[in-house]
Amino acid sequence: MARLPTADDLRPLAYQPSTGGINVRSPDVGAIAKAGDGLAQGMSGVGHGLQVMAKAENEIDDYETSKRLLDFKLQSEMELENMKREMPAGGEGWAASWDKKYLEMARGFVGKDDGNVPAHLHQKIGMALKQHETALSERATRYEWAERDRAHVDGLETDLGKLRDVVGANPNRRDEMGEAGRKQIELSRIPQADKHRLLKKYDKELDKSQATGR
């Protein structure tokens, strides 16, 4: 007959790991606590995330207008360069013509009663168009001034050529024509650098004309 279990047989046995050298640690509840803290922080960031998303949605809503504005700026710059190629000799009044052209393009962009621009963007678009107008107008003015200087230099060199011809016909008038030419150069409205270049060039060419005449 089998032996009945005694009190010692019913006592729980101490746990021994089956693999030597491995320690079984008690469960770490710190990670759960940290997870709870992280969840709280995450929930507090939801509001900020929604604000970011709302801002992005607003930017998407304005995307077409922003793209149209960028296209307009590129188109107007190309138009300015095309008009520059057709600038008449001397350039007189060309910058004013460009300003008029830009205003026509800007009116076409915003439409009648600014109908092509969302109402909440009227001020923003107006400022952007004005800033672009100022930048292009300044560039157009520089282009006109450069053309006026170029035309003035060409005309001045033509007059100086006539004075050189006088010296070639009569070498004894070299000093007289030299003084006359220098006065024309100094009184001209061309940049100082161009004046300096022409003075040096004119003296050399007068010497050549005098030598040829002799």
Side-chain angles (χ1 to χ4, degrees):
M1 180 176 179
R3 182 177 65 86
L4 295 175
T6 65
D8 291 337
D9 294 330
L10 298 176
R11 183 182 297 114
L13 297 176
Y15 174 76
Q16 297 293 333
S18 59
T19 304
I22 297 179
N23 296 323
V24 177
R25 296 177 297 178
S26 60
D28 184 5
V29 297
I32 299 176
K34 292 179 181 179
D37 293 341
L39 178 61
Q41 293 176 0
M43 292 299 293
S44 67
V46 170
H48 176 69
L50 292 176
Q51 292 178 357
V52 173
M53 291 176 62
K55 181 179 178 181
E57 289 176 358
N58 287 336
E59 292 177 351
I60 293 174
D61 288 343
D62 298 336
Y63 172 77
E64 289 300 328
T65 303
S66 299
K67 182 178 182 301
R68 287 184 60 238
L69 180 61
L70 177 59
D71 291 341
F72 172 82
K73 289 182 176 181
L74 295 175
Q75 180 184 0
S76 57
E77 290 195 9
M78 291 178 60
E79 185 64 24
L80 175 61
E81 296 303 318
N82 289 334
M83 282 188 62
K84 178 186 176 183
R85 295 186 181 94
E86 301 175 357
M87 185 187 303
E92 191 71 29
W94 180 83
S97 298
W98 161 253
D99 290 341
K100 181 178 179 181
K101 176 68 175 180
Y102 179 86
L103 289 177
E104 293 176 354
M105 295 178 65
R107 291 191 187 101
F109 175 82
V110 299
K112 184 178 179 181
D113 298 327
D114 297 339
N116 294 342
V117 179
H120 68 285
L121 291 177
H122 282 180
Q123 183 176 5
K124 178 180 178 182
I125 295 300
M127 289 295 296
L129 292 176
K130 187 61 180 178
Q131 290 174 353
H132 194 54
E133 175 191 5
T134 300
L136 294 188
S137 181
E138 290 176 354
R139 190 191 305 178
T141 299
R142 291 195 298 269
Y143 287 165
E144 180 179 320
W145 285 353
E147 172 57 24
R148 289 169 65 179
D149 289 344
R150 184 204 64 77
H152 196 63
V153 168
D154 286 350
L156 185 56
E157 288 187 329
T158 298
D159 293 340
L160 295 176
K162 294 177 181 178
L163 298 179
R164 291 195 302 268
D165 292 341
V166 172
V167 175
N170 186 353
N172 294 327
R173 301 186 64 182
R174 195 274 183 209
D175 291 342
E176 177 188 356
M177 296 299 103
E179 182 64 20
R182 281 190 290 273
K183 285 184 178 180
Q184 286 195 30
I185 295 172
E186 291 294 348
L187 293 175
S188 66
R189 297 178 299 172
I190 63 177
Q192 192 62 39
D194 288 333
K195 290 181 180 180
H196 182 69
R197 177 182 62 82
L198 282 178
L199 285 170
K200 293 178 64 175
K201 179 182 178 181
Y202 183 56
D203 281 338
K204 291 180 179 179
E205 291 182 346
L206 279 182
D207 290 340
K208 290 180 181 179
S209 296
Q210 187 181 43
T212 300
R214 288 176 177 173

